[in-house]
Amino acid sequence: MSKRARRLLALAPAVAALFASLPAHAQGTDEFGGYGAQRGTQSESKQEAAFELRFGRYQPQVDSGLSGTPFQSTFGNDSRYMFGAEADWQLLRIPHFGTLAPGIGWGYTKFSSKARFASNGELSGTTTRLNIMPMYLVGVVRADVISRDLKIPLVPYAKLGFGYGLWWSSDGKLTAESADGKKGRGASYGLTYALGGMFLLDVLDEDDAVTADGITGINNSYIFAEWFRPQLDGFGSAKVLDIGSSSWVLGVALEI
Amino acid sequence: MRFFRLLVASLCLVGLGLSAAPAYAAGTFTLSPPTWTKRAEDRPINFLNRKDCLDGATASFSYKVTGLGTNNGVFEVWSGAGCESKDNRNNTATTTCARVKVGSTAETRIELNFQEMVKAYGQTADVGIDACDTPQGAGKQNRSLYFVIYDQNNFASLATSTPWAFSYDIVAPPPPSNLRADAGDRALSTHFTPPSGETNLLNYHFYCSLKGSAPVNSAGGSSGTAGSDATGTDTAGTGATGGTDAVVGGAGADVATGGAGTDASAGTSGVAGTSSSGGTTSIPETLDPSCTSSILVPGEPPREGAIECGTIGALTSSSGDTEPTLTNETEYAVAVATEDSANNIGVLSGLACGTPRDVTGFYEAYTKAGGQAGGGFCSFAPAHRDALWTGAGLLLTACAFWRRRK
C-alpha cells in the first residue's frame, strides 16, 4: 500500500466525522455554477483528447537556397500570421508523468502584395498572393505531472512528427504561372516539431472548472505558448518550395 | 292544421328575413397563384423588377366566384394596401389603392399587366409603361392585389379574395462614384465609393471599352434620328456611336430612348434605352476628364459593344479587379454599374482609364530566382538524397534500439 493510500486510510475516520457533522452541503452545481468540490482526479471525468486553437507569426523560408530573395522582395519583411487548430487523441496516460497522444494539426496563412510591373518595377494594381496551408501528424507528450502532483499550474510539452503543406500562388484572379507555363502551386513536406508550455486556467476558478467538467466534460483549459518549427523543405529538395517556418505560437487548449 | 299554421308562419319569417337582407348574399372568391409571361424566372413568383415592368410582364390569375346569386355586382382588381375597404378604393384623402383592371365574374381567368399593378395610388385608368417610372422609395416595395366584387350602388364588398402579396423594385440603384483604376496584368484594378443609402445591393458589374473619343450626347436633347457620326474607336472596331443620343424625360423620369448605334455609317439612333434609374438626373462624374469612351457613357446603361469585364459582390466592396481578359499595352476605359437584389442593373458610373501591362508576381519571381517547385498539388519531388540516407539511418537505429529493449 502506498504512502498516500495509508495517509488517506488514516484520515478516513476524521473525514467521515467531518461529513457527519456538516449540514447537507454536497458538492455539485446550481444555477450559480459549481460548488463544494475540490479539484482532483477523483472528481474529474475521463480525459481522452486535447484541442488547440493556435495563432502565431509565420515566416516561410522560401528564399533559402535561391539566387535572389523573391519572397522578401515581393511581400516584404512585415510579420504575417497563421491561425490553426490541432486535435490530439490522448491514448496513453503514464502515471505521475503525463499523456502520450497522436495529434493532427492544420493551419492557414496568406501573403499578398501588389505585383510590380515587369518593365519598370513600379507597383501595379494586380495583387500577387501566396497561400500556405501547413498540416502535420505528430506525437505529443504533455507532462502534466507538475500540475497534478506538484499543484503548479504548468504543463510542458513536446511534439514531433511529419508535416505536409499545400501552397498556391495567384496573380490577380488567376493562378500564377512561371514564364514556361508551370502552375504556381504544389506541396511541401518535412519534419515538424514543437516545444511549449501550457498554463492551467483551472486554478483561476476551481469551482468553475468543476462545473465545466460536470456539464461539458472539459477536464482542463489552458493558454499556451509554443515554439513551432514545421520544417517543410522536402528534406532539402531543391524541387520543393521551403514553406517551413520557425516561430512562436500562442493559443488556447482544452482537454476533454 | 296545426302543422299547416306552423309552416305558414315559418314561410312568413323566412320571407321577412329575405326582405331585410342586402341585395346580394356574400359570396366566396377563390384565387389560384398566377402564371407569368415576359418575366424572368430566377426570382420568387411574387417579386418583380424594373425589367419586368418595362417588358410588360403579365400575370394570369384563375379564379372562381360562388354564392353571389344572380346579380354578380362589379368585379375589379386593386393594388395597394387595405383595398378590401371601399374607403381606400374611392379616392379619399388616405387613398392606398390603385385600380388594376375591371373584370367579369362570368370569366374564370384574368390577365393583369404588372405596369398597372405598380402605378401610383389613386390611379384608376391604365398608365402603361410610364408606371415603371412611378416615384418609389429605395429598395423593395410591398403591395397586395385585391380581387373585389362590390355592390355598384353602395360600393360595399360582396366578395373579396385573400390578398395576394407581391414585392417589387423598379428603381435601379445608382452607380458608385469616384471611380479610379490602376493598371494590372491584362486587367484594371478599380477603387470607388459605393452609392450611399442603398441597402439591397447585390453586385457591381464592370464594363470596359477601348479608350476613345466620347460620343456626342445630349441630355434631354432631341431625338436621335440623324446621327452626327462616328467619332472615336470602339472595341470591336465596328465604328462609333451613331446618333445624337437623346435622353428624353425630365426630372424624376428619364427614360433613355436613344441608344447605341453600332453602325458608324448612319448613326442610327438605336434601340430604345431601357433603363434608367427612374429619377436620377445627375450625370456621374469622371475624375479624369481625358478619360473618354465612345461606348461607355456615364449615366446611361451599358451600350452594345461594351465588354462585360467582370462582376464582384457588392457586400462591403469598394474595390475590385476586372477579369484578366484585356490586352496588355492597350488603353482601356472602365465603368461600373450596380445591381440590386431585384436584379436591376443601373446606369454606368463615371469612367476611369488605364493601360494593362505585364507584371511579375511572386511565383514568376521565384522561378526567375532559380526556384523549381510548382506544377500542381500532386507533383511530387523526392527528398534530397542525403536526407533520405539520414532518415533511413534513423529508422534503422530506432528498430535496433527497439529489438534490444525486447
Side-chain angles (χ1 to χ4, degrees):
Chain A
M1 187 177 289
S2 70
K3 193 174 179 181
R4 190 177 180 190
R6 282 200 301 274
R7 278 184 192 160
L8 283 175
L9 200 60
L11 286 173
V15 172
L18 177 65
F19 276 89
S21 63
L22 281 175
H25 286 177
Q27 69 180 47
T29 57
D30 59 16
E31 63 270 30
F32 301 109
Y35 60 87
Q38 290 297 311
R39 192 73 175 142
T41 53
Q42 291 180 347
S43 64
E44 283 187 79
S45 62
K46 192 178 178 188
Q47 180 180 316
E48 294 178 317
F51 296 96
E52 293 179 359
L53 287 177
R54 308 155 56 78
F55 180 79
R57 191 165 176 263
Y58 199 91
Q59 201 66 27
Q61 300 172 347
V62 172
D63 290 341
S64 63
L66 299 177
S67 60
T69 55
F71 181 86
Q72 185 187 336
S73 303
T74 305
F75 300 116
N77 285 322
D78 293 346
S79 291
R80 310 298 171 98
Y81 296 91
M82 180 199 70
F83 68 92
E86 182 182 314
D88 303 339
W89 182 21
Q90 295 179 328
L91 278 176
L92 182 64
R93 168 164 291 284
I94 303 169
H96 304 294
F97 176 72
T99 59
L100 283 175
I104 183 169
W106 169 92
Y108 174 76
T109 186
K110 181 176 78 172
F111 303 83
S112 63
S113 177
K114 293 295 181 189
R116 294 182 182 276
F117 286 120
S119 55
N120 58 11
E122 292 178 0
L123 290 177
S124 73
T126 295
T127 302
T128 183
R129 298 179 181 85
L130 173 64
N131 300 274
I132 297 175
M133 190 186 291
M135 297 167 279
Y136 50 85
L137 285 169
V138 288
V140 185
V141 178
R142 296 182 196 270
D144 58 9
V145 59
I146 300 173
S147 66
R148 284 178 173 264
D149 291 4
L150 305 178
K151 304 302 179 192
I152 299 170
L154 293 174
V155 178
Y157 65 90
K159 302 172 183 175
L160 174 65
F162 181 75
Y164 185 83
L166 299 177
W167 61 269
W168 62 99
S169 179
S170 62
D171 294 332
K173 294 185 174 181
L174 297 177
T175 299
E177 288 186 1
S178 65
D180 60 358
K182 189 193 276 188
K183 294 283 184 190
R185 59 188 175 211
S188 304
Y189 54 90
L191 290 176
T192 290
Y193 38 96
L195 287 172
M198 306 196 293
F199 176 77
L200 181 63
L201 295 173
D202 298 9
V203 297
L204 302 180
D205 188 339
E206 294 206 354
D207 281 344
D208 221 22
V210 171
T211 304
D213 194 3
I215 295 174
T216 64
I218 295 173
N219 298 86
N220 302 301
S221 55
Y222 302 92
I223 55 173
F224 66 86
E226 171 186 306
W227 173 69
F228 179 52
R229 176 73 174 109
Q231 194 176 328
L232 303 176
D233 61 353
F235 296 108
S237 170
K239 294 184 177 178
V240 171
L241 187 73
D242 188 349
I243 57 172
S245 176
S246 175
S247 57
W248 285 95
V249 171
L250 300 174
V252 294
L254 298 174
E255 286 180 327
I256 62 172
Chain B
M1 190 62 187
R2 187 180 176 191
F3 172 76
F4 181 73
R5 280 201 302 268
L6 278 173
L7 183 63
V8 171
S10 301
L11 286 174
C12 288
L13 285 172
V14 170
L16 282 172
L18 284 178
S19 63
Y24 321 114
T28 305
F29 198 110
T30 310
L31 190 67
S32 298
T35 54
W36 286 95
T37 54
K38 297 181 185 176
R39 178 188 170 278
E41 295 291 330
D42 53 354
R43 271 169 283 110
I45 193 171
N46 60 345
F47 186 23
L48 293 99
N49 68 8
R50 179 172 181 79
K51 187 172 185 301
D52 299 327
C53 189
L54 295 169
D55 290 348
T58 305
S60 176
F61 287 88
S62 60
Y63 58 91
K64 186 178 178 185
V65 185
T66 56
L68 284 183
T70 52
N71 194 334
N72 291 332
V74 179
F75 172 34
E76 291 178 348
V77 182
W78 290 74
S79 163
C83 303
E84 67 273 41
S85 161
K86 65 178 182 180
D87 292 337
N88 291 333
R89 300 195 303 266
N90 286 337
N91 278 331
T92 60
T94 55
T95 298
T96 58
C97 300
R99 189 172 65 193
V100 179
K101 193 167 186 176
V102 178
S104 166
T105 53
E107 305 290 333
T108 57
R109 183 169 288 275
I110 188 167
E111 308 282 334
L112 303 178
N113 191 322
F114 175 57
Q115 293 164 349
E116 307 306 324
M117 293 162 59
V118 296
K119 63 191 176 191
Y121 290 148
Q123 294 271 7
T124 53
D126 285 356
V127 175
I129 198 169
D130 289 348
C132 303
D133 289 316
T134 303
Q136 306 283 341
K140 192 163 74 170
Q141 308 293 310
N142 298 306
R143 287 193 188 189
S144 292
L145 283 181
Y146 297 82
F147 296 74
V148 183
I149 299 171
Y150 65 87
D151 186 331
Q152 57 189 339
N153 296 317
N154 59 13
F155 302 105
S157 297
L158 301 177
T160 57
S161 68
T162 302
W164 185 78
F166 68 99
S167 303
Y168 62 97
D169 184 350
I170 55 174
V171 181
S177 55
N178 299 319
L179 179 67
R180 290 181 169 80
D182 296 325
D185 195 355
R186 293 187 289 153
L188 293 175
S189 181
T190 68
H191 309 267
F192 49 81
T193 305
S196 59
E198 298 291 320
T199 56
N200 63 336
L201 300 185
L202 184 65
N203 290 314
Y204 292 116
H205 295 274
F206 297 118
Y207 295 91
C208 297
S209 82
L210 294 179
K211 184 180 177 183
S213 301
V216 179
N217 258 348
S218 66
S222 56
S223 69
T225 48
S228 60
D229 170 335
T231 46
T233 343
D234 113 3
T235 331
T238 55
T241 308
T244 307
D245 307 323
V247 180
V248 179
D254 51 332
V255 178
T257 54
T262 53
D263 184 334
S265 60
T268 45
S269 93
V271 193
T274 50
S275 75
S276 71
S277 56
T280 307
T281 53
S282 62
I283 296 174
E285 182 187 7
T286 296
L287 297 178
D288 176 6
S290 70
C291 180
T292 54
S293 162
S294 58
I295 303 289
L296 305 175
V297 182
E300 289 191 10
R303 295 179 171 185
E304 193 175 324
I307 306 168
E308 292 181 31
C309 55
T311 299
I312 59 169
L315 191 65
T316 71
S317 288
S318 59
S319 63
D321 293 352
T322 67
E323 291 296 325
T325 53
L326 307 180
T327 305
N328 280 345
E329 307 297 340
T330 304
E331 215 166 6
Y332 285 92
V334 62
V336 185
T338 313
E339 179 184 6
D340 63 21
S341 59
N343 305 121
N344 294 310
I345 299 177
V347 296
L348 294 177
S349 67
L351 308 185
C353 289
T355 306
R357 282 188 283 163
D358 187 28
V359 302
T360 302
F362 159 72
Y363 183 64
E364 192 175 350
Y366 164 77
T367 55
K368 282 180 178 172
Q372 302 172 52
F377 294 128
C378 296
S379 63
F380 181 78
H384 194 276
R385 187 174 293 173
D386 292 346
L388 281 177
W389 283 116
T390 307
L394 282 173
L395 193 64
L396 285 172
T397 306
C399 289
F401 181 73
W402 180 70
R403 282 184 65 84
R404 190 174 167 186
R405 295 272 295 178
K406 282 184 77 177

